Amino acid sequence: MKALILVGGYGTRLRPLTLSVPKPLVEFCNKPTLLHQVEALVQAGVNHVVLAVSYMSELLEKEMRIQEQRLGIRISLSHEKEPLGTAGPLALARDLLSDDNEPFFVLNSDVICDFPFQEMLQFHRNHGNQGTIVVTRVEEPSKYGVVVFQADGGRIQRFVEKPQVFVSNKINAGMYIFTPSMLQRIELRPTSIEKEIFPVMAEEGQLYAMELQGNYITYTCTKLWSYTTNTWFWMDIGQPKDFLTGMCMYLQSLRQHAPDRLCTGPGFLGNVLVDPSARIGENCSIGPNVTLGAGVVVEDGVRVKRCTVLKGARLRSHSWLDSCIVGWNSSVGQWVRMENVTVLGEDVIVNDELYLNGANVLPHKSITDSVAEPRIIM
């Protein structure tokens, strides 16, 4: 089987991290986001992954050649010379996707979840039409374009953009499976699959919705609830606040399915994931909902919660962090306080005894003054 992953965007919503690394290679819970997807596809029987690329494609290609050998699969890169939207890349890769006449998966690169690929394949084969969209339930459907479909069978009837009156609370989850004949619908030009292709397929009865099954995990800014052991989670992690929310959900999923991967013992609170090469000093309080990457150093007396700290970063003694992303090889000074989705790019130095509130700091900067209100530091 084959899969196409749409990785051609510039990752502007996840800046400043994507100024150094293409978005699919930004580590999410100590593994590049793209690898979460590729490994799940391989587990479901996919042996050929096509990446629709443009921005920083050289870095992606170098990493994917390593993963191709490790996973024993074929990884192809389909290069966009101009942005082709969400459908154009399928036309560009038409020959790669349709040569065996088997159904193929399509994924948005921002999505992280309990990937239901085997269930998708079975559902798609059962209805026998051209396309299947995975949909997920949301609390506030008025913020999204929603999918209206038949409860019996899942045939999609229509799409409604940001409904002011309730018609559905199911949204497109950015995961699809198609038969190759669907590719004949798409011209090689910038095209939106959501606005130009899906409505026509739905009108012709060729598009079905598969809802993520099980009880869902609901997240608020301070607590995480889950109901029973049969939970699933889904998150678009394309911007920092959602990246952190997705991290919390993923760690809770690990608590349910692979608790041995999480750290326990004195100083650890709740769900904490730590790379074996990270070093943690004395009298620290780590968690809940913290990920520490490879080579991270946490000095004595540090308090950190709801944060991702990326490879090679250092948190100096008695710093206090809440809801932050600390970029690669960055340094947070002594007695620093950072909160409110502060994001440090690569190789940022924050001097001692400063306060950062919702700051987005571009790579290779040195911060010498406090940032009392959210803003971008260029």
Side-chain angles (χ1 to χ4, degrees):
M1 285 194 68
K2 297 178 181 176
L4 175 76
I5 305 179
L6 300 168
V7 297
Y10 291 101
T12 53
R13 296 184 302 155
L14 201 54
R15 288 177 178 170
L17 300 176
T18 49
L19 295 173
S20 299
V21 171
K23 180 175 60 177
L25 296 184
V26 173
E27 295 98 322
F28 175 82
C29 293
N30 291 350
K31 183 190 298 184
T33 306
L34 184 61
L35 285 190
H36 286 277
Q37 299 180 327
V38 170
E39 290 177 358
L41 286 165
V42 171
Q43 190 173 5
V46 170
N47 55 20
H48 185 185
V49 176
V50 180
L51 305 180
V53 302
S54 59
Y55 178 62
M56 289 187 175
S57 59
E58 299 84 2
L59 289 174
L60 271 169
E61 184 165 15
K62 180 179 178 182
E63 178 62 28
M64 288 305 103
R65 292 297 159 248
I66 297 171
Q67 299 305 324
E68 192 176 43
Q69 294 296 317
R70 182 178 71 89
L71 296 170
I73 63 171
R74 180 184 174 192
I75 300 178
S76 302
L77 273 66
S78 178
H79 294 265
E80 298 179 30
K81 294 182 180 180
E82 63 171 328
L84 291 173
T86 51
L90 278 73
L92 185 63
R94 194 190 328 265
D95 292 343
L96 290 171
L97 296 172
S98 60
D99 62 353
D100 59 4
N101 207 35
E102 284 288 312
F104 60 91
F105 295 100
V106 176
L107 280 75
N108 293 342
S109 64
D110 292 336
V111 171
I112 194 76
C113 70
D114 292 319
F115 296 106
F117 295 131
Q118 292 177 332
E119 293 86 348
M120 288 173 66
L121 181 59
Q122 187 61 52
F123 179 89
H124 183 76
R125 285 176 169 161
N126 285 345
H127 69 67
N129 289 280
Q130 284 189 340
T132 297
I133 298 178
V134 176
V135 298
T136 185
R137 179 172 34 174
V138 293
E139 293 293 316
E140 297 182 34
S142 62
K143 291 182 177 181
Y144 304 92
V146 300
V147 184
V148 181
F149 58 93
Q150 295 175 347
D152 181 15
R155 177 177 169 177
I156 293 177
Q157 298 165 313
R158 67 188 192 278
F159 299 86
V160 182
E161 185 66 26
K162 296 182 180 179
Q164 298 306 302
V165 178
F166 182 87
V167 293
S168 171
N169 62 353
K170 311 300 191 305
I171 67 168
N172 179 350
M175 295 181 288
Y176 322 121
I177 187 168
F178 301 119
T179 57
S181 61
M182 173 269 187
L183 294 170
Q184 304 307 315
R185 298 176 175 273
I186 307 172
E187 297 179 13
L188 185 53
R189 60 176 178 82
T191 311
S192 167
I193 197 168
E194 298 88 353
K195 296 179 180 180
E196 299 179 61
I197 305 301
F198 285 167
V200 177
M201 292 179 67
E203 186 176 345
E204 295 176 3
Q206 289 293 322
L207 195 59
Y208 282 67
M210 188 192 93
E211 185 177 357
L212 285 171
Q213 294 300 313
N215 299 291
Y216 66 97
I217 297 173
T218 301
Y219 179 78
T220 69
C221 58
T222 56
K223 294 183 180 179
L224 184 68
W225 292 275
S226 61
Y227 306 93
T228 81
T229 58
N230 296 317
T231 59
W232 53 262
F233 75 97
W234 174 91
M235 197 68 198
D236 177 332
I237 57 171
Q239 55 187 330
K241 67 182 181 66
D242 294 334
F243 187 99
L244 290 171
T245 298
M247 176 197 69
C248 299
M249 293 178 171
Y250 181 86
L251 294 179
Q252 179 64 13
S253 181
L254 286 184
R255 171 68 64 189
Q256 295 169 354
H257 304 298
D260 56 319
R261 292 181 56 192
L262 300 176
C263 289
T264 57
F268 294 110
L269 305 174
N271 299 330
V272 178
L273 181 66
V274 178
D275 186 273
S277 63
R279 292 185 288 139
I280 300 173
E282 298 180 356
N283 301 316
C284 293
S285 178
I286 311 296
N289 298 315
V290 169
T291 300
L292 303 179
V296 165
V297 175
V298 179
E299 296 184 359
D300 297 346
V302 168
R303 174 71 174 103
V304 55
K305 59 180 178 178
R306 198 172 181 269
C307 291
T308 286
V309 184
L310 296 173
K311 181 179 179 180
R314 178 181 288 265
L315 309 182
R316 298 194 180 275
S317 58
H318 307 291
S319 54
W320 187 99
L321 289 79
D322 183 3
S323 298
C324 300
I325 302 175
V326 180
W328 307 273
N329 302 311
S330 289
S331 175
V332 177
Q334 298 180 34
W335 296 101
V336 164
R337 180 184 178 105
M338 295 180 8
E339 61 185 341
N340 191 25
V341 195
T342 287
V343 184
L344 306 183
E346 180 186 16
D347 184 35
V348 169
I349 297 174
V350 180
N351 286 4
D352 296 344
E353 302 180 14
L354 297 181
Y355 172 58
L356 274 64
N357 173 30
N360 277 338
V361 185
L362 271 62
H364 313 298
K365 302 294 294 183
S366 181
I367 305 301
T368 57
D369 297 302
S370 292
V371 181
E373 299 294 335
R375 64 187 179 95
I376 298 172
I377 312 297
M378 301 182 66

